[in-house]
Amino acid sequence: MLSFKYDKKIDEHCRRRIVRAKKMFGHSFPTKFNISKKQIAIAKEMSNHFQKVWGKHGKKILNGVKKIYKHSIPTKFSVFINTSPYSMDGYPGKYISVSMHAKKTRRILSSISHELSHFVFRQYFTKFCRNLGCTKDEIEEIKEVLTVINNVEIPGVSDKGWQVHSNLRKWTKKNWSINPNIKSIIKVLHKLSIPH
C-alpha cells in the first residue's frame, strides 16, 4: 500500500525543479515560488483524500504499470503531495510527487499513473534508450509519449500528455494495440522524428 503525505522539503524541491526548467515541451513555467501556510494545510488535507482514492483504485494502477513495463515499483515507495500545479517523479529517490490540484478521482488516478510510469521507465529503460543512441532530450520525450498507454491498460485513467507529443501519442496508442511490447515501441519512437 502506497503512503500519501506532505513534506515541505519535497514540495520545495519540486518547486525549484519547475523554476529551473523554465520551459519544456512548449510550455513556460513560473520563475519564482512562495509556499504559503494555507497551501500547506490544503496539501496535508488532500493527502488524506488521495489516500482514500488510492485505497479504492490503487491495485489496478499498479497492475497496469506492471503490465506495460513488466516491472513493479519498489516495495518501499511514497507519494508526496505538492502545492504546485505540476506532478513529477522523484527518481532516483523512491517517490513521486503529485499536485494537490488534482482533486477529481480520474485526475488523481491519471496523475499518479503518469508519474509511476515515468519512475518505472527511468529505472528500467533509460539504459535501454541510451544503448539505442537516444540523447537525454529524446529519453525525456519518449517517457512522456509512453504514458498514453495508461489510457489503454488502466481503467479510469485519462492521460492527456503534452500537446507537442499528440501525433506520437496517437501512433503509440494505435501500435500498442497491435504489438504491446514496450521495447518495440521505444525502438520505433527513437527512429521517428521527436519534436523539440
Side-chain angles (χ1 to χ4, degrees), residues 23-186:
K23 191 173 183 179
M24 188 182 297
F25 308 134
H27 184 80
S28 296
F29 297 120
T31 55
K32 58 184 179 178
F33 68 90
N34 179 40
I35 303 170
S36 69
K37 288 181 180 178
K38 184 178 179 181
Q39 287 175 312
I40 292 171
I42 293 169
K44 287 179 177 178
E45 187 179 309
M46 289 305 293
S47 66
N48 295 324
H49 176 57
F50 279 47
Q51 192 76 60
K52 288 176 186 173
V53 170
W54 180 260
K56 292 179 182 176
H57 305 279
K59 191 172 181 181
K60 67 184 177 184
I61 291 179
L62 293 177
N63 289 341
V65 170
K66 186 173 182 179
K67 183 176 180 182
I68 296 165
Y69 295 96
K70 307 300 183 207
H71 292 281
S72 301
I73 63 170
T75 306
K76 292 184 179 178
F77 197 87
S78 296
V79 182
F80 294 99
I81 309 304
N82 73 63
T83 58
S84 86
Y86 304 98
S87 299
M88 60 195 75
D89 68 87
Y91 187 83
K94 293 180 180 179
Y95 73 90
I96 59 171
S97 182
V98 183
S99 170
M100 70 179 187
H101 300 286
K103 296 177 182 176
K104 292 184 177 178
T105 298
R106 183 174 289 271
R107 187 162 173 214
I108 291 170
L109 298 178
S110 300
S111 297
I112 294 170
S113 62
H114 184 102
E115 299 309 328
L116 287 177
S117 293
H118 284 348
F119 183 92
V120 174
F121 172 84
R122 286 189 194 278
Q123 187 170 31
Y124 295 104
F125 294 94
T126 300
K127 186 177 179 182
F128 176 75
C129 289
R130 284 193 192 120
N131 289 340
L132 290 175
C134 296
T135 65
K136 185 178 177 182
D137 286 344
E138 285 175 328
I139 292 169
E140 289 300 305
E141 301 273 359
I142 290 169
K143 83 168 174 57
E144 291 296 338
V145 171
L146 291 175
T147 62
V148 74
I149 300 169
N150 294 345
N151 295 340
V152 179
E153 299 296 348
I154 306 173
V157 164
S158 177
D159 191 310
K160 296 188 177 12
W162 298 91
Q163 182 60 36
V164 71
H165 302 129
S166 60
N167 288 336
L168 288 173
R169 284 169 66 87
K170 284 176 190 170
W171 177 90
T172 299
K173 188 176 179 183
K174 179 183 174 185
N175 283 275
W176 179 262
S177 65
I178 298 165
N179 180 22
N181 181 294
I182 199 71
K183 286 187 175 181
S184 295
I185 298 286
I186 290 170

Side-chain angles (χ1 to χ4, degrees), residues 3-14:
S3 61
F4 291 72
K5 51 197 167 188
Y6 176 79
D7 183 294
K8 192 173 182 185
K9 286 182 180 177
I10 298 287
D11 194 7
E12 288 172 343
H13 175 69
C14 292

